[in-house]
Amino acid sequence: MPNNLEASIDIAASPEKVWSILADLNRMSEFSPTTVKMLAIGGVREGARTINLNRDGWKVWPTSSRIVRFVPNTALAFRMNENHTVWSYELAPTAAGTRLVERRTLDPKGIPGWMGPVIKLAGGEQKFEADLVSGMHETLRKIKAAAER
């Protein structure tokens, strides 16, 4: 059974600064190890669609999503059309700057049946999810570095 996943990091920059980086989805390829391109159709706002290109080694695949939460300086979330997971970022002010949390949340109905064989090909659920969490940590570290420059 797949799990919800979470990673977080503290950033020595204001939520406004972190948000300005995070909400520029054209920059997602700078941060995410699997994102080649993320394009919001009609701008970054709640309800907007995105078209994405992803890569893991030699494997390249397109995805699409809809932005389901857009609260400036606080939260950004998008629901993947292919597997119905929601990827979200939440920003909270701290004494030293911002705490940024990234989550992958499963649809209550679970993942579509066709995903099982794909996950098996990726080394099984445990490895697949460990790779996702590793990518989340890498993404957060890169956002932190950009915000603290």
Side-chain angles (χ1 to χ4, degrees), residues 76-147:
L76 173 65
F78 46 93
R79 183 176 188 269
M80 303 307 299
N81 293 320
E82 293 75 18
N83 64 12
H84 314 296
T85 59
V86 174
W87 286 84
S88 64
Y89 297 88
E90 292 184 9
L91 296 80
T94 65
T98 305
R99 182 159 191 77
L100 180 59
V101 179
E102 180 178 6
R103 289 186 181 91
R104 183 202 69 171
T105 307
L106 299 169
D107 186 284
K109 297 176 188 173
I111 60 170
W114 65 267
M115 286 290 300
V118 172
I119 291 170
K120 189 173 184 178
L121 283 172
E125 194 170 302
Q126 191 171 9
K127 180 185 181 315
F128 178 72
E129 289 186 348
D131 290 346
L132 288 176
V133 171
S134 176
M136 292 165 80
H137 285 290
E138 181 177 340
T139 298
L140 295 177
R141 282 191 306 270
K142 288 179 177 179
I143 291 171
K144 174 183 173 82

Side-chain angles (χ1 to χ4, degrees), residues 8 10 14 28 30 33 39 49 60 71 94 96 98 109 113 127-128 130:
S8 63
D10 289 320
S14 70
M28 191 57 75
E30 289 178 46
L39 177 64
R49 291 184 225 183
V60 177
V71 182
T94 65
T98 305
K109 297 176 188 173
K127 180 185 181 315
F128 178 72

Side-chain angles (χ1 to χ4, degrees), residues 61-77:
W61 67 98
T63 58
S64 61
S65 67
R66 181 172 301 276
I67 298 173
V68 294
R69 189 159 185 229
F70 184 86
V71 182
N73 306 318
T74 303
L76 173 65

